[in-house]
Amino acid sequence: MSEEKNAISSQFFENSDRIERLRMYDFILVFNSLLKSLRLYGPENDTVEKNITKVAESIKLFFISDKLMGLAYNGNDFLINDVRVKKKRNSQISFDELQDFFVNLQVATIFFPRDIKPREIVEFLLTGAEIAKKNMKTEDVFDHFSQVLRSKGSKIEITKRDDSGEDDLFTILDKSQIARLIYRNMINDHQLFRQKIKENRPIPLRKAMRNVQNTIDLLMDGAQDSQESHLLTLASLNSLKGRFMATHLANTAILSVAAGIQLGIDKDLLTRIGVAAYFHDIAIAEEVKGETVEHSKPGFAYLSRLNSLNFAMMEAAITAGLHHTTYTFDGEPVPPEKPTMSTPLGEIIKVCDYYDLVTRWWPARKTIPVKRPDAIENVFKMSEMRCFSGITGKALFSALGIFPPGTVVRVTGKNRLACSLDVFRSTGQKSRAAVLDSRMNFLGIDRFFPHQLVEIPTGLHFKIPPLTIKKILDSFDPEEQKDLT
């Protein structure tokens, strides 16, 4: 049994992104047309019926992988699922109708569930239009709109403008949805940060800090529905939509926070660790796919120049300048003659950067990734060579366990593979793993003691197919859990 290499061209990802952007633009177009036709003709009209059909067909495409679709307006741009909808060049089409709907009703985001019916959307728009005609006070209109929607039992949820609207997500989304949303935001925001750097403008730190702080909250939550395993599984992904550097930065940030928690680090310092890890490779171009690159000095220059008075950014700048002094971009150790320290927090980031670097499939790499348990073992060996601080290696091992999330293992006594999803620790308790067949297809979730799983033999490497990854991530959704037990 061997791993089959799937060669997907960069053109595939470019075409996929182009189609997705076009689909988003088309939805805004037909949604605005529906709103306008309702205002002009009322609900019983052929033009309205045609627009309802178009909206119904368009919105279905956003529920292929998600249960919820979020349409937001930030005062300048529309966003769908936190991705900015770009207007077509030289387009004379105006979206004033939809913009006014958001502004007049003080709405930040509209959330449509997967089972939404076309007539429910029409009812929602008509309700909003009626309330907008009342000329209520700005501070009262949203609360009234929200109250009317609840009284009608509407499935559509809304959040308020200029009132930390994102915080309202916590009353709408369950924790597994929040975890996935945070991870996706970390990937998507990377493009914004790089654009600011290109323009020599300050990076919007609040967006980064919010994502990191929300991650910390979920990782430290000791409730039964803790998202620790979910986030660590997300941080084991190879790349999201081919965005190799953005995924690397998001993974390193999550791993660094998880390792910091194991050391009992204060929450404020955890934020500094997470933000610094998130920006430590910001100078590397997104198109880099695993080539050996020189980036330490440019990274330091970018970050120290753009946000020189912010502690988290200075931590990131120092880490950017020093984290590859004891190992190469290929993961090879560079033992120093004497111990070298960047900063205590930077040492945590170095270990997590190395771990994600060597365990991922980079297109330009000729070598296969290091197995996750082997990467942890390498960290300890390199600590003896003074490449890493010993305590940070222990922190990472404590955060990830014997079979780190995302590790492909074999189920003892059965002709089955499994992908670990929990932190397997020698605590006498079972942990979750996704059971796979010989073709790497998802069979379900089972719980195992650590001794019931063994590492696959040396020389065998498996790359989990995208469809299986999707089913694994869906297993964290309480409504779609499929346990073999």
Side-chain angles (χ1 to χ4, degrees):
M1 197 184 306
S2 61
E3 186 271 325
E4 295 183 3
K5 294 184 178 179
N6 300 318
I8 302 177
S9 67
S10 59
Q11 186 178 3
F12 171 81
F13 292 109
E14 291 171 3
N15 290 339
S16 298
D17 287 342
R18 180 179 58 80
I19 293 171
E20 184 178 17
R21 289 194 300 270
L22 182 62
R23 190 176 71 198
M24 290 180 173
Y25 178 84
D26 288 344
F27 175 76
I28 298 295
L29 186 65
V30 298
F31 198 62
N32 184 78
S33 297
L34 173 59
L35 187 59
K36 188 174 183 177
S37 61
L38 283 171
R39 180 178 64 81
L40 292 175
Y41 309 119
E44 304 299 331
N45 180 272
D46 290 341
T47 301
V48 172
E49 289 296 329
K50 289 179 182 178
N51 284 321
I52 291 174
T53 302
K54 290 179 181 179
V55 168
E57 292 174 352
S58 181
I59 199 171
K60 286 180 182 178
L61 298 173
F62 298 100
F63 298 123
I64 295 173
S65 59
D66 295 314
K67 286 188 171 183
L68 212 62
M69 191 272 269
L71 172 63
Y73 179 62
N74 61 14
N76 294 306
D77 302 298
F78 286 103
L79 299 94
I80 293 180
N81 293 337
D82 297 303
V83 177
R84 184 167 69 91
V85 180
K86 295 182 181 179
K87 295 181 180 179
K88 291 185 177 180
R89 291 181 180 178
N90 303 322
S91 174
Q92 301 300 316
I93 297 175
S94 170
F95 296 136
D96 291 345
E97 202 83 31
L98 189 53
Q99 291 172 357
D100 289 344
F101 184 87
F102 275 90
V103 173
N104 292 340
L105 295 167
Q106 291 297 295
V107 172
T109 307
I110 303 170
F111 290 97
F112 301 94
R114 179 184 288 176
D115 60 350
I116 191 69
K117 300 291 190 301
R119 283 296 167 186
E120 292 173 314
I121 295 177
V122 172
E123 179 66 21
F124 169 79
L125 293 177
L126 289 174
T127 301
E130 285 297 319
I131 293 173
K133 290 179 183 177
K134 294 181 180 180
N135 295 320
M136 300 176 64
K137 292 182 179 179
T138 302
E139 59 270 22
D140 296 334
V141 65
F142 176 85
D143 291 337
H144 181 65
F145 187 25
S146 183
Q147 184 178 358
V148 172
L149 290 177
R150 285 196 297 269
S151 67
K152 292 186 175 184
S154 175
K155 295 178 182 178
I156 298 174
E157 300 279 358
I158 56 176
T159 62
K160 191 175 182 181
R161 285 174 57 84
D162 302 322
D163 189 28
S164 300
E166 290 132 328
D167 289 340
D168 293 338
L169 293 175
F170 289 87
T171 62
I172 298 170
L173 310 180
D174 62 42
K175 289 182 181 178
S176 64
Q177 291 172 317
I178 295 169
R180 206 114 31 118
L181 184 63
I182 290 169
Y183 190 77
R184 184 173 60 191
N185 287 347
M186 293 180 84
I187 304 296
N188 290 337
D189 289 346
H190 177 255
Q191 292 179 319
L192 170 65
F193 301 143
R194 285 199 54 78
Q195 183 62 32
K196 295 296 184 184
I197 287 174
K198 183 184 281 188
E199 298 169 355
N200 288 328
R201 296 172 61 189
I203 295 172
L205 284 179
R206 286 190 178 183
K207 290 179 71 68
M209 292 181 70
R210 178 181 288 273
N211 289 333
V212 169
Q213 288 167 349
N214 289 340
T215 299
I216 293 169
D217 290 339
L218 288 179
L219 285 173
M220 297 184 73
D221 185 0
Q224 189 173 1
D225 58 350
S226 167
Q227 296 300 301
E228 176 190 31
S229 298
H230 192 177
L231 284 167
L232 291 176
T233 300
L234 284 166
S236 72
L237 294 180
N238 188 55
S239 71
L240 194 66
K241 292 185 178 179
R243 298 177 187 175
F244 302 101
M245 288 310 305
T247 304
H248 171 60
L249 295 178
N251 291 352
T252 305
I254 293 171
L255 293 169
S256 298
V257 169
I261 290 172
Q262 294 301 313
L263 293 174
I265 292 177
D266 181 80
K267 198 170 183 179
D268 290 340
L269 290 179
L270 287 176
T271 301
R272 283 175 56 182
I273 292 174
V275 173
Y278 190 29
F279 287 115
H280 78 280
D281 273 341
I282 195 68
I284 299 182
E286 177 59 52
E287 58 267 21
V288 170
K289 299 178 180 179
E291 305 92 336
T292 300
V293 292
E294 293 293 334
H295 68 287
S296 298
K297 291 180 181 178
F300 179 87
Y302 282 142
L303 297 174
S304 60
R305 182 181 75 244
L306 293 174
N307 294 86
S308 58
L309 299 180
N310 181 280
F311 284 116
M313 295 305 290
M314 285 307 297
E315 194 78 50
I318 293 170
T319 305
L322 296 175
H323 72 287
H324 278 310
T325 55
T326 59
Y327 59 99
T328 68
F329 192 71
D330 292 322
E332 295 297 322
V334 183
E337 294 182 3
K338 58 182 180 179
T340 59
M341 284 283 289
S342 51
T343 68
L345 303 187
E347 287 296 306
I348 295 175
I349 298 169
K350 281 174 58 178
V351 167
C352 297
D353 170 78
Y354 168 84
Y355 174 84
D356 188 66
L357 204 61
V358 300
T359 58
R360 296 191 41 222
W361 296 80
W362 296 84
R365 287 270 182 83
K366 295 181 180 180
T367 56
I368 56 179
V370 177
K371 294 178 184 177
R372 297 178 187 280
D374 291 347
I376 299 291
E377 187 175 343
N378 289 347
V379 166
F380 284 109
K381 290 178 180 178
M382 291 170 69
S383 297
E384 295 176 358
M385 292 188 280
R386 299 176 174 177
C387 296
F388 298 125
S389 168
I391 190 65
T392 57
K394 293 178 182 177
L396 182 63
F397 174 65
S398 181
L400 298 180
I402 302 169
F403 304 112
T407 302
V408 177
V409 293
R410 184 169 57 85
V411 181
T412 305
K414 295 183 180 180
N415 186 26
R416 287 284 181 263
L417 295 174
C419 177
S420 60
L421 304 182
D422 272 346
V423 180
F424 282 81
R425 299 186 175 102
S426 300
T427 58
Q429 295 182 343
K430 289 185 175 182
S431 298
R432 295 170 75 248
V435 180
L436 314 173
D437 64 16
S438 59
R439 296 180 178 272
M440 305 296 287
N441 294 316
F442 177 82
L443 297 179
I445 302 298
D446 209 340
R447 297 179 183 275
F448 301 92
F449 291 113
H451 67 266
Q452 293 178 296
L453 302 175
V454 294
E455 291 187 51
I456 56 177
T458 302
L460 285 180
H461 293 267
F462 301 97
K463 192 172 183 179
I464 301 176
L467 181 59
T468 302
I469 290 175
K470 180 187 180 304
K471 291 183 178 179
I472 287 173
L473 294 176
D474 285 344
S475 73
F476 288 97
D477 187 333
E479 295 181 8
E480 293 195 14
Q481 286 185 357
K482 178 185 176 185
D483 287 3
L484 294 177
T485 55

